[in-house]
Amino acid sequence: MPVCLVARQATFYIKIPPESRFLCKFASCFGGSRPPEAIIIMIRKAVILGTGNVAWQLAHSLPLFGYCVVQIFGRNAAKAEDLASAVGADHTDSYDEIYPDADIYIYAVADDAISEVVASVSTDSGVHVHTSGCVGIDVFEGSKSNYGVVYPLQTFTRNKKIDFSKVAIFFEANNASSRSRVEEFAKALSLKVFESNSEQRRMVHLAGVVGCNFANYLWSISYDILRQQGYPFRDVMLPLIEESLDKLRYMPPSEAQTGPARRGDTGTIAAHEALLADNSDIAAMYRMLSKMIADGSNYKYNRNRQ
Amino acid sequence: MPVCLVARQATFYIKIPPESRFLCKFASCFGGSRPPEAIIIMIRKAVILGTGNVAWQLAHSLPLFGYCVVQIFGRNAAKAEDLASAVGADHTDSYDEIYPDADIYIYAVADDAISEVVASVSTDSGVHVHTSGCVGIDVFEGSKSNYGVVYPLQTFTRNKKIDFSKVAIFFEANNASSRSRVEEFAKALSLKVFESNSEQRRMVHLAGVVGCNFANYLWSISYDILRQQGYPFRDVMLPLIEESLDKLRYMPPSEAQTGPARRGDTGTIAAHEALLADNSDIAAMYRMLSKMIADGSNYKYNRNRQ
């Protein structure tokens, strides 16, 4: 991690390697097309709580965006050490040893562990954010003074590094001071930053699950069907899915919809159901989705609902 | 259509513009890195029956691959004329006027119209192919001597031209002579050509419907949810879906699966179902897919089934 040379100071001179995108962002501020050799930057100190996929991605990406990861906390000591040593940070598995003077504490732990971890972190300095799509901002209430949420809408896999600058990030904060710091953090990470309250963020998360996790599951069924016929998924299906996705740059998905259910081709639907005779779950799913497409079922938003 | 200068002759000199991918393919055969000015090519004459999305794509693409579209047949005269004039072909809405001497007749009509159109075409010269994923090769039996199927696994939208060279194409033929001509046609179109019998092709089609049409439908629900929260689908969801898709270059979709159902996060699943309280269809779909992911349901192939 050559970007972050001095960890636990506030402001200092730092030499940043030319491959840093953070620097490239800054280069244009200086009016130059080539980045300078050295610049003065206010470095923010971040503590990451968690060792999962989101923690892994943040730990590897933050240094590129002017945030120095000073410490990784993990309830599993070995995992915390692994991640910390990979990014040149300190690590701990003890709540008592969490550095008390970081600028931002990022809770990238499982949704149902957030409240416990928040309650166990004693420092109230800096701003505290979690990264969950589904957990409310109120999980920090009564425990921290300045807090918020930074939710990146992305599917994270360890060892496949994300370009955060393209990821839509939804943020929320509990007061004006938190808001400026949380927004600054979100905008350092990404070019696509949206403010959203907890209710909106839950809807965004729902949209992500339906459009990404569920779509991936459908791909896994396609994969199995093709593999069992001896055809390679990558060569056969990827160009099809890529074209489907490419259409969405030109038209909404409802207009791009094709296939037997959209055409009302009941003969093909019946033939497919017969092919799925040995797979009752998948046949039921096929029937349900075909009916929804044929009926034109779409999401209805009730404005009067609380 | 500068590629196809002379339509209804067999072999002739032809000057092909350098942008033709067909020519680029050929250039390497001549050992040169730059295409020659003129070459001799056997041009195949194609009649396209149909005016829908597949017919539109083939009519626009065939000239790049050494096939000259000499005629478009459409039961709707105006549509046949429109497509034919766009690609410089002749057109007819009368079965009696279909040219009797083409090399290939391509039936790109609705699945349930294929048998009627096949029976109405009197010429038995050339090879006759349909492009359906679901209709058997036997639809030609008793009516034509040389026939087959060329099924491109792709989602076709009019006015958004496909690069056929990347599309997986599944072909089938009724005898050795048909086979050489059908395979030649498929390989002219695409670099990814697979032989498959009608049963295998139906399974491929099923895989395409599940992984493409159904996935697109899920995207349309995401689109509606986000739009009603005031967020733009293209900025917010496309990077997420692109990353999901990109993962499939490195791992099978079952390994790439993320989300609350995969994690067994029942709290989030219950929260999402509550958010869908006004959308009983979508809530039922959410429940079903979450359960299938949580259960690890996958496609099972019964080798003993007929």
Side-chain angles (χ1 to χ4, degrees):
Chain A
M1 290 293 95
V3 172
C4 185
L5 297 176
V6 184
R8 308 197 58 224
Q9 312 296 327
T11 308
F12 45 89
Y13 284 88
I14 183 169
K15 191 166 178 182
I16 296 183
E19 65 269 23
S20 164
R21 277 168 301 177
F22 171 59
L23 184 65
C24 296
K25 260 190 181 175
F26 264 75
S28 59
C29 304
F30 291 101
S33 59
R34 293 187 55 196
E37 288 282 299
I39 49 176
I40 302 171
I41 300 167
M42 178 71 86
I43 295 286
R44 307 291 188 193
K45 288 172 284 169
V47 169
I48 295 178
L49 302 108
T51 58
N53 293 345
V54 178
W56 189 93
Q57 294 287 348
L58 287 173
H60 282 81
S61 296
L62 287 188
L64 297 172
F65 299 113
Y67 283 76
C68 181
V69 181
V70 292
Q71 190 180 40
I72 305 281
F73 166 85
R75 287 170 294 177
N76 180 317
K79 287 187 178 172
E81 186 174 358
D82 275 0
L83 181 53
S85 73
V87 301
D90 298 335
H91 64 92
T92 183
D93 65 343
S94 159
Y95 286 112
D96 296 336
E97 291 175 0
I98 290 174
Y99 293 150
D101 59 350
D103 297 297
I104 188 165
Y105 294 83
I106 305 165
Y107 297 73
V109 297
D111 285 3
D112 55 10
I114 295 177
S115 62
E116 182 197 322
V117 176
V118 167
S120 306
V121 171
S122 55
T123 182
D124 191 27
S125 76
V127 66
H128 296 248
V129 298
H130 73 66
T131 58
S132 164
C134 213
V135 173
I137 190 175
D138 52 4
V139 72
F140 293 106
E141 214 171 282
S143 169
K144 302 291 176 279
S145 304
N146 294 295
Y147 53 85
V149 181
V150 173
Y151 169 53
L153 183 68
Q154 189 50 278
T155 169
F156 294 110
T157 312
R158 194 180 293 255
N159 296 325
K160 183 175 185 307
K161 216 168 135 184
I162 291 288
D163 177 359
F164 270 100
S165 67
K166 294 176 187 165
V167 175
I169 292 192
F170 298 84
F171 80 94
E172 182 176 7
N174 73 313
N175 61 39
S177 159
S178 305
R179 188 180 179 284
S180 71
R181 287 184 271 177
V182 174
E183 186 175 16
E184 178 191 63
F185 176 65
K187 289 191 168 167
L189 275 178
S190 172
L191 303 170
K192 293 182 193 166
V193 172
F194 303 90
E195 192 158 11
S196 73
N197 61 33
S198 293
E199 174 77 13
Q200 287 176 303
R201 180 162 35 82
R202 282 192 191 97
M203 296 307 296
V204 170
H205 184 227
L206 171 62
V209 168
V210 171
C212 167
N213 300 148
F214 286 1
N216 184 76
Y217 177 63
L218 297 178
W219 298 338
S220 77
I221 295 174
S222 290
Y223 182 96
D224 291 343
I225 293 173
L226 291 170
R227 186 170 49 96
Q228 285 166 348
Q229 298 297 325
Y231 297 120
F233 179 84
R234 282 184 189 83
D235 282 347
V236 166
M237 275 295 293
L238 279 193
L240 173 59
I241 303 174
E242 275 163 3
E243 172 64 18
S244 306
L245 195 54
D246 195 46
K247 282 193 202 179
L248 304 190
R249 296 176 216 289
Y250 306 95
M251 61 188 91
S254 57
E255 274 181 37
Q257 189 71 51
T258 59
R262 173 61 173 262
R263 289 194 302 273
D265 181 350
T266 52
T268 298
I269 292 173
H272 284 170
E273 287 183 24
L275 292 176
L276 290 170
D278 296 329
N279 292 267
S280 57
D281 280 6
I282 298 175
M285 181 273 287
Y286 184 97
R287 252 190 308 278
M288 176 181 275
L289 285 170
S290 291
K291 185 173 185 317
M292 290 175 79
I293 294 171
D295 292 350
S297 302
N298 61 357
Y299 172 76
K300 291 159 199 77
Y301 183 59
N302 184 345
R303 290 170 193 278
N304 299 321
R305 195 164 54 81
Q306 280 305 318
Chain B
M1 290 291 96
V3 172
C4 185
L5 298 176
V6 184
R8 308 195 59 222
Q9 312 295 325
T11 307
F12 47 87
Y13 283 89
I14 183 169
K15 190 165 177 184
I16 295 184
E19 66 270 22
S20 164
R21 279 168 299 176
F22 172 60
L23 183 65
C24 296
K25 261 189 181 176
F26 265 74
S28 60
C29 303
F30 292 102
S33 58
R34 292 188 55 197
E37 286 283 299
I39 49 177
I40 302 171
I41 299 167
M42 179 74 86
I43 295 286
R44 307 293 188 193
K45 287 172 284 168
V47 168
I48 295 178
L49 301 107
T51 57
N53 293 344
V54 178
W56 190 93
Q57 294 287 348
L58 288 173
H60 282 82
S61 296
L62 287 189
L64 296 172
F65 300 112
Y67 282 77
C68 181
V69 180
V70 293
Q71 189 180 40
I72 305 281
F73 165 85
R75 287 171 295 177
N76 179 318
K79 287 186 179 174
E81 186 173 358
D82 275 358
L83 181 54
S85 73
V87 300
D90 297 335
H91 64 92
T92 182
D93 65 342
S94 160
Y95 287 111
D96 295 337
E97 291 175 2
I98 291 173
Y99 293 149
D101 58 351
D103 297 296
I104 187 165
Y105 293 83
I106 305 165
Y107 297 74
V109 297
D111 284 4
D112 55 9
I114 296 177
S115 62
E116 182 198 322
V117 176
V118 167
S120 306
V121 171
S122 55
T123 180
D124 191 25
S125 76
V127 67
H128 295 248
V129 298
H130 73 66
T131 59
S132 164
C134 213
V135 173
I137 190 176
D138 52 5
V139 72
F140 292 106
E141 213 173 284
S143 169
K144 304 288 175 280
S145 305
N146 295 294
Y147 54 85
V149 180
V150 173
Y151 169 54
L153 183 67
Q154 189 50 279
T155 170
F156 294 109
T157 311
R158 192 180 294 255
N159 296 325
K160 181 173 183 312
K161 216 168 136 185
I162 292 288
D163 177 0
F164 271 100
S165 66
K166 294 176 186 165
V167 175
I169 293 191
F170 298 83
F171 81 92
E172 183 176 4
N174 73 313
N175 60 39
S177 160
S178 305
R179 189 181 179 284
S180 72
R181 287 184 272 177
V182 174
E183 186 175 16
E184 177 191 65
F185 176 65
K187 289 191 169 169
L189 275 178
S190 173
L191 303 169
K192 295 183 193 165
V193 172
F194 303 90
E195 191 157 12
S196 73
N197 61 34
S198 293
E199 173 78 11
Q200 288 175 303
R201 180 161 36 82
R202 282 192 191 99
M203 296 306 296
V204 169
H205 184 227
L206 171 62
V209 168
V210 171
C212 166
N213 300 148
F214 286 1
N216 184 76
Y217 177 63
L218 297 178
W219 298 338
S220 78
I221 295 174
S222 290
Y223 182 97
D224 291 342
I225 293 173
L226 291 171
R227 185 170 48 96
Q228 286 166 349
Q229 297 297 325
Y231 297 119
F233 179 85
R234 282 186 189 81
D235 282 346
V236 166
M237 276 296 293
L238 278 193
L240 172 59
I241 303 173
E242 275 163 3
E243 172 64 17
S244 306
L245 194 55
D246 195 46
K247 283 193 202 180
L248 305 190
R249 297 177 215 289
Y250 306 95
M251 61 189 92
S254 56
E255 274 180 38
Q257 189 72 50
T258 59
R262 172 60 173 262
R263 290 195 301 273
D265 181 350
T266 52
T268 298
I269 293 172
H272 284 170
E273 287 183 22
L275 292 176
L276 290 170
D278 296 329
N279 292 266
S280 57
D281 280 5
I282 297 174
M285 181 273 286
Y286 184 97
R287 252 192 307 278
M288 175 181 276
L289 284 170
S290 291
K291 185 173 184 319
M292 290 175 80
I293 294 171
D295 292 350
S297 302
N298 61 355
Y299 173 77
K300 291 159 200 77
Y301 182 59
N302 185 345
R303 290 169 193 279
N304 300 321
R305 194 163 55 80
Q306 281 303 320

